[in-house]
PDB file of all heavy atoms in Angstrom:
ATOM      1  N   TYR A1403       0.689  -6.046   0.420  1.00 89.00           N
ATOM      2  CA  TYR A1403       1.662  -7.138   0.478  1.00 89.00           C
ATOM      3  C   TYR A1403       1.305  -8.244  -0.522  1.00 89.00           C
ATOM      4  O   TYR A1403       2.164  -8.735  -1.253  1.00 89.00           O
ATOM      5  CB  TYR A1403       1.711  -7.678   1.908  1.00 89.00           C
ATOM      6  CG  TYR A1403       2.592  -8.878   2.105  1.00 89.00           C
ATOM      7  CD1 TYR A1403       3.973  -8.748   2.066  1.00 89.00           C
ATOM      8  CD2 TYR A1403       2.058 -10.138   2.320  1.00 89.00           C
ATOM      9  CE1 TYR A1403       4.801  -9.845   2.257  1.00 89.00           C
ATOM     10  CE2 TYR A1403       2.880 -11.243   2.518  1.00 89.00           C
ATOM     11  CZ  TYR A1403       4.249 -11.080   2.478  1.00 89.00           C
ATOM     12  OH  TYR A1403       5.066 -12.156   2.653  1.00 89.00           O
ATOM     13  N   LEU A1406       1.920  -7.050  -4.211  1.00 91.00           N
ATOM     14  CA  LEU A1406       3.296  -6.854  -4.661  1.00 91.00           C
ATOM     15  C   LEU A1406       4.030  -8.165  -4.921  1.00 91.00           C
ATOM     16  O   LEU A1406       4.934  -8.220  -5.754  1.00 91.00           O
ATOM     17  CB  LEU A1406       4.065  -5.998  -3.647  1.00 91.00           C
ATOM     18  CG  LEU A1406       5.357  -5.375  -4.157  1.00 91.00           C
ATOM     19  CD1 LEU A1406       5.124  -4.529  -5.403  1.00 91.00           C
ATOM     20  CD2 LEU A1406       6.024  -4.556  -3.083  1.00 91.00           C
ATOM     21  N   VAL A1407       3.647  -9.233  -4.220  1.00 93.00           N
ATOM     22  CA  VAL A1407       4.297 -10.531  -4.432  1.00 93.00           C
ATOM     23  C   VAL A1407       3.805 -11.074  -5.770  1.00 93.00           C
ATOM     24  O   VAL A1407       2.696 -11.579  -5.885  1.00 93.00           O
ATOM     25  CB  VAL A1407       3.992 -11.496  -3.260  1.00 93.00           C
ATOM     26  CG1 VAL A1407       4.549 -12.883  -3.549  1.00 93.00           C
ATOM     27  CG2 VAL A1407       4.564 -10.953  -1.956  1.00 93.00           C
ATOM     28  N   ASN A1408       4.669 -10.912  -6.799  1.00 93.00           N
ATOM     29  CA  ASN A1408       4.266 -11.231  -8.160  1.00 93.00           C
ATOM     30  C   ASN A1408       5.493 -11.131  -9.063  1.00 93.00           C
ATOM     31  O   ASN A1408       6.565 -10.735  -8.620  1.00 93.00           O
ATOM     32  CB  ASN A1408       3.189 -10.236  -8.623  1.00 93.00           C
ATOM     33  CG  ASN A1408       2.205 -10.855  -9.580  1.00 93.00           C
ATOM     34  OD1 ASN A1408       2.545 -11.721 -10.372  1.00 93.00           O
ATOM     35  ND2 ASN A1408       0.968 -10.395  -9.511  1.00 93.00           N
ATOM     36  N   VAL A1431       9.074 -10.483  -7.213  1.00 93.00           N
ATOM     37  CA  VAL A1431       8.993 -10.061  -5.823  1.00 93.00           C
ATOM     38  C   VAL A1431       8.408 -11.236  -5.047  1.00 93.00           C
ATOM     39  O   VAL A1431       7.307 -11.703  -5.333  1.00 93.00           O
ATOM     40  CB  VAL A1431       8.116  -8.795  -5.660  1.00 93.00           C
ATOM     41  CG1 VAL A1431       8.057  -8.390  -4.195  1.00 93.00           C
ATOM     42  CG2 VAL A1431       8.652  -7.654  -6.517  1.00 93.00           C
ATOM     43  N   LEU A1432       9.197 -11.718  -4.091  1.00 91.00           N
ATOM     44  CA  LEU A1432       8.819 -12.896  -3.308  1.00 91.00           C
ATOM     45  C   LEU A1432       8.460 -12.493  -1.883  1.00 91.00           C
ATOM     46  O   LEU A1432       8.926 -11.471  -1.382  1.00 91.00           O
ATOM     47  CB  LEU A1432       9.990 -13.888  -3.276  1.00 91.00           C
ATOM     48  CG  LEU A1432      10.559 -14.296  -4.639  1.00 91.00           C
ATOM     49  CD1 LEU A1432      11.900 -14.974  -4.472  1.00 91.00           C
ATOM     50  CD2 LEU A1432       9.575 -15.184  -5.359  1.00 91.00           C
ATOM     51  N   ALA A1433       7.678 -13.341  -1.235  1.00 90.00           N
ATOM     52  CA  ALA A1433       7.319 -13.113   0.161  1.00 90.00           C
ATOM     53  C   ALA A1433       8.538 -13.347   1.035  1.00 90.00           C
ATOM     54  O   ALA A1433       9.302 -14.280   0.818  1.00 90.00           O
ATOM     55  CB  ALA A1433       6.186 -14.047   0.574  1.00 90.00           C
ATOM     56  N   GLY A1434       8.704 -12.491   2.035  1.00 89.00           N
ATOM     57  CA  GLY A1434       9.774 -12.652   3.012  1.00 89.00           C
ATOM     58  C   GLY A1434       9.312 -13.513   4.169  1.00 89.00           C
ATOM     59  O   GLY A1434       8.289 -14.198   4.093  1.00 89.00           O
ATOM     60  N   GLU A1435      10.070 -13.462   5.264  1.00 89.00           N
ATOM     61  CA  GLU A1435       9.759 -14.296   6.425  1.00 89.00           C
ATOM     62  C   GLU A1435       8.475 -13.874   7.133  1.00 89.00           C
ATOM     63  O   GLU A1435       7.740 -14.708   7.634  1.00 89.00           O
ATOM     64  CB  GLU A1435      10.925 -14.265   7.414  1.00 89.00           C
ATOM     65  CG  GLU A1435      12.153 -14.990   6.905  1.00 89.00           C
ATOM     66  CD  GLU A1435      13.280 -15.000   7.916  1.00 89.00           C
ATOM     67  OE1 GLU A1435      13.018 -14.816   9.117  1.00 89.00           O
ATOM     68  OE2 GLU A1435      14.424 -15.191   7.500  1.00 89.00           O
ATOM     69  N   SER A1436       8.215 -12.590   7.214  1.00 88.00           N
ATOM     70  CA  SER A1436       7.021 -12.082   7.893  1.00 88.00           C
ATOM     71  C   SER A1436       6.168 -11.311   6.900  1.00 88.00           C
ATOM     72  O   SER A1436       6.666 -10.856   5.862  1.00 88.00           O
ATOM     73  CB  SER A1436       7.417 -11.136   9.034  1.00 88.00           C
ATOM     74  OG  SER A1436       8.229 -11.798   9.968  1.00 88.00           O
ATOM     75  N   GLU A1437       4.897 -11.148   7.228  1.00 85.00           N
ATOM     76  CA  GLU A1437       4.026 -10.379   6.340  1.00 85.00           C
ATOM     77  C   GLU A1437       4.558  -8.962   6.220  1.00 85.00           C
ATOM     78  O   GLU A1437       4.884  -8.317   7.201  1.00 85.00           O
ATOM     79  CB  GLU A1437       2.593 -10.351   6.880  1.00 85.00           C
ATOM     80  CG  GLU A1437       1.643  -9.701   5.908  1.00 85.00           C
ATOM     81  CD  GLU A1437       0.193  -9.912   6.266  1.00 85.00           C
ATOM     82  OE1 GLU A1437      -0.158 -11.031   6.676  1.00 85.00           O
ATOM     83  OE2 GLU A1437      -0.573  -8.952   6.139  1.00 85.00           O
ATOM     84  N   GLY A1438       4.680  -8.502   5.009  1.00 89.00           N
ATOM     85  CA  GLY A1438       5.227  -7.181   4.741  1.00 89.00           C
ATOM     86  C   GLY A1438       6.684  -7.236   4.310  1.00 89.00           C
ATOM     87  O   GLY A1438       7.184  -6.304   3.691  1.00 89.00           O
ATOM     88  N   ASP A1439       7.395  -8.334   4.624  1.00 92.00           N
ATOM     89  CA  ASP A1439       8.786  -8.491   4.210  1.00 92.00           C
ATOM     90  C   ASP A1439       8.837  -9.033   2.789  1.00 92.00           C
ATOM     91  O   ASP A1439       8.044  -9.904   2.418  1.00 92.00           O
ATOM     92  CB  ASP A1439       9.532  -9.457   5.134  1.00 92.00           C
ATOM     93  CG  ASP A1439       9.731  -8.901   6.530  1.00 92.00           C
ATOM     94  OD1 ASP A1439       9.568  -7.676   6.710  1.00 92.00           O
ATOM     95  OD2 ASP A1439      10.041  -9.688   7.429  1.00 92.00           O
ATOM     96  N   LEU A1440       9.784  -8.532   2.016  1.00 93.00           N
ATOM     97  CA  LEU A1440       9.888  -8.910   0.609  1.00 93.00           C
ATOM     98  C   LEU A1440      11.311  -9.309   0.251  1.00 93.00           C
ATOM     99  O   LEU A1440      12.270  -8.838   0.857  1.00 93.00           O
ATOM    100  CB  LEU A1440       9.503  -7.723  -0.278  1.00 93.00           C
ATOM    101  CG  LEU A1440       8.151  -7.075  -0.023  1.00 93.00           C
ATOM    102  CD1 LEU A1440       8.066  -5.752  -0.765  1.00 93.00           C
ATOM    103  CD2 LEU A1440       7.040  -8.011  -0.439  1.00 93.00           C
ATOM    104  N   MET A1441      11.437 -10.156  -0.741  1.00 91.00           N
ATOM    105  CA  MET A1441      12.707 -10.469  -1.390  1.00 91.00           C
ATOM    106  C   MET A1441      12.525 -10.047  -2.851  1.00 91.00           C
ATOM    107  O   MET A1441      11.601 -10.513  -3.514  1.00 91.00           O
ATOM    108  CB  MET A1441      13.030 -11.960  -1.313  1.00 91.00           C
ATOM    109  CG  MET A1441      13.303 -12.479   0.081  1.00 91.00           C
ATOM    110  SD  MET A1441      14.766 -11.776   0.850  1.00 91.00           S
ATOM    111  CE  MET A1441      16.051 -12.349  -0.222  1.00 91.00           C
ATOM    112  N   ILE A1442      13.384  -9.171  -3.322  1.00 90.00           N
ATOM    113  CA  ILE A1442      13.268  -8.654  -4.677  1.00 90.00           C
ATOM    114  C   ILE A1442      14.406  -9.238  -5.499  1.00 90.00           C
ATOM    115  O   ILE A1442      15.584  -9.003  -5.207  1.00 90.00           O
ATOM    116  CB  ILE A1442      13.279  -7.114  -4.673  1.00 90.00           C
ATOM    117  CG1 ILE A1442      12.131  -6.621  -3.781  1.00 90.00           C
ATOM    118  CG2 ILE A1442      13.183  -6.569  -6.084  1.00 90.00           C
ATOM    119  CD1 ILE A1442      12.273  -5.232  -3.281  1.00 90.00           C
TER     120      ILE A1442
END
Side-chain angles (χ1 to χ4, degrees):
Y1403 176 72
L1406 197 56
V1407 174
N1408 212 327
V1431 180
L1432 306 165
E1435 290 182 21
S1436 301
E1437 186 168 319
D1439 292 344
L1440 306 168
M1441 293 296 297
I1442 303 159

